[in-house]
Amino acid sequence: MAQFELSAATALWSELLEAFKSQIPEQSFCTWIQPLTPQRLEDNTLLLAAPSQFHREWIEGHYIRNIECALKELHGEDIRLKLHVAAGALPRSAPPLPRVRETSERAESSFESSLNPRYQFEAFVEGDSNSFARAACMAVADVSHRCPWNPLLIYGGTGLGKTHLLQAIGNRVVAKHKSYRVLYASSERFTQDFIQSVQTRHTTDFSHRYRSIDLLLVDDIQFFAAKERTQIEFFHAFNTLYQNGKRIVLTSDRPVAELAGFDKRLISRFDSGLVTNIDPPDYETRVAILRNRAEADKFPLTRDVADFLATSITANVRDLEGAYVTLAARCQLMRVPPTLDLLRDVLRCRGSQNGARPPAEKILALVVEHFRISPEILRGKSRKREIVFARMVAMTLMCEDTALSLKAIGAQFGGRDHTTVMHARDTIQNRRTAGDTEVIAALKEIQQKA
Ligand code: ADP
Ligand code: MG
């Protein structure tokens, strides 16, 4: 079998990501864990690169023990984590890392902008589902031309390439215009920065930082909902940049009309620009994404394995990539070529969480069983606390685990309105993010059976 370039560190890290994903809220996972890049594995120490000093300290302060525990559970032996700030991130950064080739990823993010060089337009596969959003992003990235709309807002479900496109804009601009000040921030990062600036009484530094840039990229703005002070700060930064003709690109997991808890002034600002969406990729795009990735990794992915994978995972590119990376990691560790049997096993192990998605009826059946109530009561009009809770859990699982629209989910519950479904989902997701054990336990138990 041809040697492909997936190192032991990458294989171990991808396994860890799979296992760790369900242990912390999704947003924290995306903000803090995903941007870490595996570098090498040596003497039971896994070396990771963090995109900035701030990021590194955050991981050391909040996650390092849990990650080490998860690694021990996976491998039965102690594996220590060591973090570096990615080369090029800070002038006073840790000693330069040796150059190792890690799939297509190289840990060289710029501190100023927090960009991950892995996300480029060239690595983004175009298909009907994303071609307009991609074209809009490329137009924004071409700073030599006037951009006809500002801001640009891209919305779409999770794992469909929003962050990839947002970062690709930043990477292209930085590559072509060295002096251009580009800033990428997740909404969580923006919020943390703001809270920190209030705590340390450095709010002027904060405003200065966010208002003195040429291109602002803010990811997942739905998390600003109901964070009033952060929203006000964001609104000021936004206005200053907007009035100075600076470009602003935002992403959200839902359309503007569904951004609950947002100041009306912000909503009308978003609407004044261009709003576009990304849909789940069609079959051809999914196959092309897999081929592209395999080519970059020099991984001998055969046509039948790629077809089977692209048919099994349909809703989300992140899941598709996740299954691919697990398959590639297994092949690497076991030194065998990819086969359909191995792929079936990978999909089985990944379970319904990422593989074949459970249909809505199955979710209903599991929720009914879990809460010991009848389907009629679940679908009915009862406002009893435990019934309402069960209903909200069922709606959330359908939002997260099926490709059904809010309207179609509402229809499953006696024709309830899509805003009711949205409210249920937001309530449950917020409670999960806040660490509510009742919610976390119910979701986990039901998802395990799905
Ligand atoms: P989102 O921000 O919408 O949740 P991401 O941008 O994080 O999704 O994408 C999830 C993963 O899928 C990333 O690794 C990204 O590179 C990859 N991806 C998504 N869409 C594409 C595409 N069209 N071509 C190549 N890779 C893609
Ligand atoms: Mg994202």
Side-chain angles (χ1 to χ4, degrees), residues 38-89:
Q39 297 284 290
R40 60 193 149 92
L41 180 64
E42 221 174 65
D43 301 331
N44 276 13
T45 300
L46 178 62
L47 189 69
L48 296 174
S52 67
Q53 182 62 21
F54 177 85
H55 202 116
R56 174 188 171 172
E57 284 166 13
W58 190 269
I59 296 288
E60 287 173 345
H62 295 80
Y63 292 111
I64 201 162
R65 292 284 151 263
N66 295 351
I67 299 177
E68 285 177 348
C69 284
L71 283 170
K72 179 151 182 144
E73 265 179 34
L74 275 175
H75 282 269
E77 50 184 316
D78 289 317
I79 295 175
R80 288 205 37 235
L81 277 196
K82 207 162 149 197
L83 283 124
H84 281 272
V85 178

Side-chain angles (χ1 to χ4, degrees), residues 4 12 42 71 103 117 122 148 179 233 273 296-297 300 316 329 331 341:
F4 58 94
L12 180 65
E42 221 174 65
L71 283 170
T103 61
E122 291 72 19
S179 62
E233 220 27 68
D297 294 344
N316 173 328
C331 293
D341 279 346

Side-chain angles (χ1 to χ4, degrees), residues 121 124-137 152-169 219 249-255 275-282 285 289 314-318:
F121 283 117
F124 190 84
V125 176
E126 187 184 356
D128 287 349
S129 56
N130 60 37
S131 68
F132 189 74
R134 176 177 167 274
C137 289
L152 168 64
L153 181 108
I154 306 159
Y155 72 89
T158 178
L160 296 182
K162 300 183 296 296
T163 299
H164 189 136
L165 281 178
L166 192 64
Q167 291 237 357
I169 299 175
D219 213 355
V249 190
L250 312 164
T251 74
S252 154
D253 73 350
R254 60 199 77 174
V275 178
T276 173
N277 75 317
I278 305 188
D279 286 321
D282 55 23
T285 312
I289 289 171
T314 55
N316 173 328
V317 183
R318 183 174 298 126

Side-chain angles (χ1 to χ4, degrees), residues 390-408:
R391 199 178 287 136
M392 292 202 301
V393 166
M395 287 177 173
T396 309
L397 287 169
M398 283 192 197
C399 289
E400 292 184 351
D401 292 347
T402 71
L404 292 178
S405 67
L406 293 171
K407 199 166 161 221

